[in-house]
Amino acid sequence: MMRRESAAGWLLLAALGWQLTGFVPGPTTPSPNPSPSPRRAVATAEVSAAPAMATTTPWRGVLRRLLLARRQGAREAAFKELAEIYDEVSSEMFAEVEKYALMLEEKPPLQLLRLRPFLGYRSACASLYRTVRDHILPQQAESPVVVLKQSREGEQRLRYVLQSDAMDADARSAAGDGAGPEVSAASKARALYVALRQLVANDVWSVERSANSMDNDWDARTPKLETPKYQVLSRDALSGVEVREYAPYAVVQTQQGPEVANNRSFFMLADYIFGKKNVRSEKMAMTTPVQMDRGSGAMSFIMPSKYWSSLEDAPLPAANAGVSLEERPRETLAVSIFGGYALGPTVAKKTEELIDFLQKSDRWEMVTNSTRLMQRLELWLVKGALKGEASETLYNDPFTVPWKRRNEVSIPVRAKA
């Protein structure tokens, strides 16, 4: 009996040591007729054989630091370094984290220990992959991913955007990677990048736990930034639809026209808010959300509240800013809230549901046949045309993880006589 327990103990210690040292074996021969995993199929239709990695490549060391560093400053530096080479190494990186996740799942003794942080790099890779596979890739499934290369102030930037994103005109006008049952390399690269960004502020296991415990605490999904004030007039318990009365506020918006209905609008507004292109060089605090009228192509940022009732005191835009200041009047909106990505099909469905609710309501009626999509991301309120003058509201940045997103579809309403 003692020998068996000793042997079992040595095997466990060997497994732990194998995890801690980061030793990576060469390719293994897959077992014949492996039983397919439904969750594995979400991420990829086929698992490639892992290449032998006798030497550590530059990206692997940086990834290890991002996954395992205890100090946030160290993780932030590692992410910045990784972002500079991400386009070149994303496929290798995805294959590595996928390999370790599947390796742990196929080895029952290690699978029992897979969530414990002290297991090191392999366990961290596996946790990262599960977050990508179970919580990000499924949200991207309805949209091809577009890879855009842009230049701003002499710096080349790479963007992985969802082509069906209801707010991104750049993505909608570009050719996507195509839709199909097998997940594209661009989609995998985007999903992994979204997850990696979360590791600057949190360790990989905390990110996975957050994704697994996702709830509908919409206030928690809204950034703690200044936002227009409103009063909830009614709330339907079954559908969750709210009717809100918004107090007047003010915005800075881009000039109308389809030529600015894209990512450039954001930077035009940011240049004004952060003092680069207003006549007083005044730097203002960021607010939420950002607005974008998809019919006219105008995007707006909410002005600081000190200017809501005295917009004439705000600094004027510079002559070449391409933006203007505007007051927004009091209005009443019926609002439906939902999470995840605000993809075109999802927005259309939520809009139809809200219209149907109002048509059956004995208390509220639509002011006009127009709707607004509102997506609560960290920074934005976007307005866009789905029917008539449909709009959307965004309160998070485009790389906010799906389980932290807050989206809203809204329609101007009034009380029935």
Side-chain angles (χ1 to χ4, degrees):
M1 181 66 69
M2 288 291 290
R3 288 184 178 178
R4 289 183 181 177
E5 291 179 354
S6 297
W10 280 112
L11 285 174
L12 179 58
L13 286 173
L16 291 173
W18 176 63
Q19 289 283 43
L20 290 166
T21 58
F23 171 75
V24 183
T28 57
T29 303
S31 57
N33 302 320
S35 56
S37 165
R39 290 190 302 169
R40 184 187 310 178
V42 171
T44 181
E46 180 179 333
V47 179
S48 302
M53 292 173 282
T55 59
T56 302
T57 57
W59 68 261
R60 189 167 290 107
V62 181
L63 177 61
R64 180 184 293 273
R65 280 190 280 120
L66 178 59
L67 292 175
L68 300 179
R70 294 184 178 275
R71 292 187 301 105
Q72 181 172 336
R75 295 197 302 270
E76 185 174 359
F79 176 77
K80 184 177 180 180
E81 188 176 344
L82 203 59
E84 294 177 354
I85 59 172
Y86 187 75
D87 183 39
E88 303 170 9
V89 303
S90 60
S91 295
E92 290 181 75
M93 197 179 304
F94 190 96
E96 175 141 316
V97 299
E98 178 184 53
K99 177 189 65 176
Y100 288 140
L102 300 182
M103 183 183 298
L104 293 184
E105 290 180 356
E106 291 171 357
K107 295 181 183 295
L110 297 179
Q111 186 175 7
L112 296 175
L113 303 170
R114 66 184 182 183
L115 291 179
R116 301 179 67 174
F118 61 78
L119 290 183
Y121 179 68
R122 292 165 183 264
S123 179
C125 285
S127 176
L128 176 64
Y129 177 74
R130 289 191 297 270
T131 298
V132 169
R133 177 193 63 191
D134 299 342
H135 301 288
I136 302 178
L137 279 173
Q139 289 284 331
Q140 295 182 179
E142 295 184 5
S143 176
V145 172
V146 181
V147 182
L148 299 177
K149 292 185 179 180
Q150 298 177 326
S151 178
R152 176 172 167 78
E153 298 179 351
E155 180 182 351
Q156 291 293 325
R157 299 187 179 188
L158 192 70
R159 296 180 62 216
Y160 294 90
V161 297
L162 299 172
Q163 191 176 32
S164 299
D165 191 330
M167 322 168 338
D168 200 317
D170 277 349
R172 292 192 303 276
S173 63
D177 55 17
E182 190 167 335
V183 180
S184 71
S187 186
K188 292 178 183 179
R190 184 190 188 278
L192 181 60
Y193 188 80
V194 168
L196 289 172
R197 276 186 49 146
Q198 310 309 306
L199 304 184
V200 172
N202 302 280
D203 67 71
V204 67
W205 296 277
S206 296
V207 172
E208 184 183 13
R209 284 194 297 269
S210 173
N212 288 335
S213 62
M214 176 180 59
D215 57 32
N216 291 332
D217 184 352
W218 301 116
D219 288 339
R221 299 191 187 196
T222 306
K224 306 304 180 185
L225 300 174
E226 195 167 46
T227 189
K229 301 182 186 304
Y230 64 84
Q231 177 185 1
V232 177
L233 303 180
S234 69
R235 180 183 292 110
D236 182 74
L238 183 61
S239 65
V241 172
E242 291 183 351
V243 175
R244 305 171 183 168
E245 183 180 45
Y246 278 83
Y249 59 96
V251 301
V252 54
Q253 69 174 21
T254 57
Q255 297 172 346
Q256 296 184 354
E259 67 277 2
V260 296
N262 55 40
N263 190 252
R264 292 192 301 276
S265 300
F266 183 92
F267 294 108
M268 293 167 65
L269 294 167
D271 285 345
Y272 171 84
I273 289 290
F274 298 136
K276 195 172 182 179
K277 289 192 177 180
N278 69 59
V279 295
R280 295 205 299 255
S281 299
E282 179 181 329
K283 295 181 180 180
M284 303 174 217
M286 196 61 210
T287 56
T288 188
V290 176
Q291 303 177 339
M292 181 178 182
D293 187 307
R294 299 180 69 82
S296 67
M299 178 184 281
S300 307
F301 280 12
I302 309 298
M303 291 289 288
S305 59
K306 64 182 179 181
Y307 297 128
W308 291 355
S309 59
S310 56
L311 191 57
E312 65 276 7
D313 295 334
L316 294 173
N320 62 343
V323 300
S324 60
L325 305 181
E326 179 181 304
E327 294 179 338
R328 293 289 167 87
R330 183 179 301 273
E331 64 179 346
T332 303
L333 301 175
V335 180
S336 177
I337 309 173
F338 62 100
Y341 291 122
L343 302 181
T346 304
V347 171
K349 178 183 177 182
K350 294 297 180 180
T351 301
E352 292 295 339
E353 290 175 352
L354 184 57
I355 291 174
D356 183 63
F357 171 84
L358 291 172
Q359 289 175 341
K360 296 176 181 178
S361 173
D362 57 3
R363 184 176 176 184
W364 305 101
E365 64 182 1
M366 292 184 288
V367 175
T368 60
N369 185 23
S370 65
T371 63
R372 294 179 183 177
L373 165 64
M374 301 191 289
Q375 188 179 8
R376 294 195 175 245
L377 309 181
E378 256 176 30
L379 301 174
W380 322 23
L381 165 63
V382 178
K383 297 182 177 178
L386 292 172
K387 291 185 175 182
E389 297 177 355
S391 305
E392 51 189 311
T393 306
L394 306 174
Y395 287 72
N396 311 105
D397 70 72
F399 282 102
T400 298
V401 287
W403 61 90
K404 291 185 177 180
R405 286 175 170 256
R406 172 177 175 172
N407 315 298
E408 298 177 350
V409 174
S410 69
I411 299 175
V413 297
R414 65 189 169 204
K416 286 185 175 180

